[in-house]
Amino acid sequence: MSLTVRDLAHARAGDKGNRVNVSVIAYDGAGYERLLRELTEARVMAAFAPVAEGPVRRYELARLGAMNFVIENMRGGSVTRTTALDIHGKSLSALMLSIRLFGNQPESS
Amino acid sequence: MAREHLRIGVGAGFAGDRWEPAVELVERGEIDVIAFECLAERTIAREILALRRGDGPGYSPKLEARLRAVLPACAAKGIRVVTNMGAAAPLAAGRAACAVAAELGIADFRCAVLLGDDVRDVLVARPELSLLETGEPLESILGRMASANAYLGADAVAEALASGALTVITGRVADPSLFVGPMLHAFGWSYDDYAKLAQATAAGHLLECAGQVTGGYFADPGVKDVPALARLGFPFADVSAAGEVVIGKLVEAGGRVDARTCSEQLLYEIDDPAAYITPDCVLDMGGIGFTEIARDRIRVEGARARPRTPSYKVSVGYFDGYLGAGELSYGGPNAVARARLAGEVVKERLAMRGFEFDELRCDLIGLDSLHGPAEGRPEPYEVRLRVAGRSQSRAAAEAVGWEVAALYTNGPFGGAGDFADVREILAVQSVLLARELVPTRIEIVSAS
């Protein structure tokens, strides 16, 4: 069955200049294991391509069952001079939560 | 001076934060210290501009109102106040605090003011320094510099507290250090006690955004609910001399404190969680865990740290042109196509008039303004066109809003509810400056 990240985790976004970080915190251990397998840097980069050039870095915090994604080079430049409506990228936690997870199904489904 | 326990409350997590939570903490929170964090990245540059234009005091314009709300209880109970509301004019802020205390009839009020974060003069003599964000020399923005402030550390805040003054006012201090300072002062920790500095810095980072650890910026109705969000309380931390940390909130305040709210705040605005650099240490969050010891009480443990770096981070605010924006809404049949046509018309008219922009964009609020375009997204019933342009020319930036407003009689049918805005862009970049180039000092201001 196809799920989204929101079914397994919660998230918060913050900014540092022209990069944004989005944490992904799993509700339980099984969810964390699945997210480790499926929510790869490449998957996150694909979802964030409309708003960022990348690259994406992923950090893991096993004790918290959490990951931290750092997404580089936001389109429109840094927080302090961007023309974007969401200058801080704070709404991007919701973009992360909307990423679909496909389990063992092919990603094209 | 050596204490066993300290309770630090948070009065504000940003300049525009709410008022009531600070009052309930000083009146009923049994706290020893209340800290107000009110300086975002660009705030100091903005206050300098306001000061120059003569329409601002240089310090946080809400300083008097915030102090008026808490000082009676703080003076009666000996609760120390620590705040970076001094912004670009900490001494003037100190005098304003004394004036508030006098007006409230508080006797023997003194304010310790921390000075030394303003390093504009130091930077002017060092154009060769490298900007961290772009790698270009500082010289490229020096001529447009509005502000330059070093992120001072907890040691300077602790020194100000050692003066005994009820209130400590600073300019730029690293956000967690505003909270670590009172712990250093209370417990006399040294800078090679990394385990305690790590716990203290983790606590400071969890506290610095106030309501963001008690259930603010957390609710997702039906999935992640927050009790009594409208009455959201701000947090406090119970810290022991051994470095034990518990985050909590008042029982009667709205919100929630649990492993989930703490995890979201711990990773807020973090790059590599194993190397969170502050002026006090390099924090490694990798081993941190949260344990619920009671309802809305979370023990924080497992923080580790490496020694502080030999330099301060300095944020440099500089002028970078103008941002102009205009908005207009469209609803009903074909709303998206009409809004798109309107945006194209505005762009073409701006080009016809010869205006040049470093960047010019059209978004449809309701469709693609936050997360960019995506295929297969359903068209909303109504959308709001937003045109925004960045230019070195104020006239070009102003023209954006005018051309959007002109759509009323010169664009597609049915545009409604226009809004226009022009502002000077204050951009920020950073450099590193050796600690020995940033001497700090404390000045005591009193009411008499």
Side-chain angles (χ1 to χ4, degrees), chain A residues 10 21 57 63 81 83 90, chain B residues 264 267-268 271 287 320:
Chain A
H10 54 112
N21 87 298
R57 286 176 275 135
R63 185 166 179 188
R81 56 207 293 269
T83 53
K90 282 176 178 277
Chain B
E264 284 198 15
L267 293 172
Y268 180 67
D271 191 304
D320 197 21

Side-chain angles (χ1 to χ4, degrees), chain B residues 71-428:
Chain B
L71 274 187
C74 291
K77 301 178 183 185
I79 299 169
R80 312 291 295 271
V81 180
V82 178
T83 180
N84 56 10
M85 282 190 276
L91 264 180
R95 286 191 288 268
C98 289
V100 169
E103 165 199 321
L104 293 169
I106 296 169
D108 303 324
F109 180 84
R110 288 186 308 145
C111 183
V113 177
L114 171 59
L115 298 166
D117 63 303
D118 185 340
V119 292
R120 279 176 289 179
D121 293 345
V122 184
L123 290 200
V124 165
R126 284 171 180 74
E128 73 286 355
L129 285 171
S130 182
L131 293 166
L132 296 180
E133 289 79 4
T134 58
E136 287 173 19
L138 172 65
E139 191 173 12
S140 61
I141 60 170
L142 213 44
R144 294 174 282 151
M145 179 170 75
S147 65
N149 298 78
Y151 284 85
L152 301 180
D155 47 353
V157 174
E159 193 191 335
L161 283 162
S163 70
L166 188 72
T167 297
V168 169
I169 291 185
T170 75
R172 183 66 74 192
V173 167
D175 295 353
S177 307
L178 271 186
F179 302 91
V180 179
M183 301 180 211
L184 280 188
H185 169 66
F187 303 130
W189 295 337
S190 79
Y191 265 91
D192 50 19
D193 203 339
Y194 305 124
K196 297 190 181 85
L197 282 176
Q199 285 287 106
T201 300
H205 177 61
L206 287 167
L207 295 174
E208 68 176 70
C209 295
Q212 278 201 172
V213 77
T214 48
Y217 217 56
F218 185 86
D220 187 356
V223 178
K224 281 159 58 193
D225 288 307
V226 176
L229 182 56
R231 290 187 286 109
L232 182 72
F234 287 171
F236 55 76
D238 285 315
V239 186
S240 77
E244 295 152 310
V245 172
V246 173
I247 306 288
K249 72 168 187 69
L250 292 178
V251 173
E252 64 269 32
R256 58 187 261 187
V257 180
D258 57 26
R260 289 174 181 167
T261 65
C262 288
S263 294
E264 284 198 15
Q265 184 53 28
L266 185 72
L267 293 172
Y268 180 67
E269 291 186 341
I270 294 299
D271 191 304
D272 178 356
Y276 176 59
I277 301 172
T278 79
D280 306 313
C281 66
V282 178
L283 175 65
D284 177 358
M285 300 177 171
I288 290 180
F290 297 117
T291 311
E292 190 170 330
I293 56 170
R295 188 187 163 91
D296 295 319
R297 292 290 166 95
I298 290 292
R299 177 183 294 130
V300 183
E301 55 202 357
R304 296 182 297 255
R306 302 189 293 280
R308 56 183 172 174
T309 65
S311 49
Y312 284 119
K313 182 177 160 184
V314 173
S315 77
V316 185
Y318 62 100
F319 301 104
D320 197 21
Y322 301 88
L323 180 68
E327 296 178 6
L328 198 64
S329 283
Y330 293 84
N334 220 18
V336 168
R338 282 182 282 134
R340 282 202 204 288
L341 172 60
E344 290 308 313
V345 165
V346 168
K347 276 180 146 176
E348 195 173 334
R349 287 182 182 154
L350 289 169
M352 276 161 35
R353 295 177 63 192
F355 291 120
E356 290 181 5
F357 295 90
D358 300 326
E359 192 190 353
L360 182 64
R361 65 188 284 158
C362 294
D363 293 300
L364 298 190
I365 296 172
L367 186 66
D368 61 11
S369 65
L370 297 177
H371 298 166
E375 282 174 31
R377 204 176 275 163
E379 285 201 357
Y381 181 81
E382 56 185 54
V383 289
R384 185 159 177 81
L385 169 69
R386 176 178 183 271
V387 186
R390 181 161 57 85
S391 176
Q392 297 307 311
S393 148
R394 180 179 257 282
E398 283 172 349
V400 176
W402 290 341
E403 289 295 352
V404 170
L407 289 167
Y408 268 131
T409 53
N410 299 274
F413 91 85
D418 71 302
F419 166 82
D421 183 44
V422 180
R423 62 185 62 184
E424 203 165 28
I425 298 176
L426 281 168
V428 169

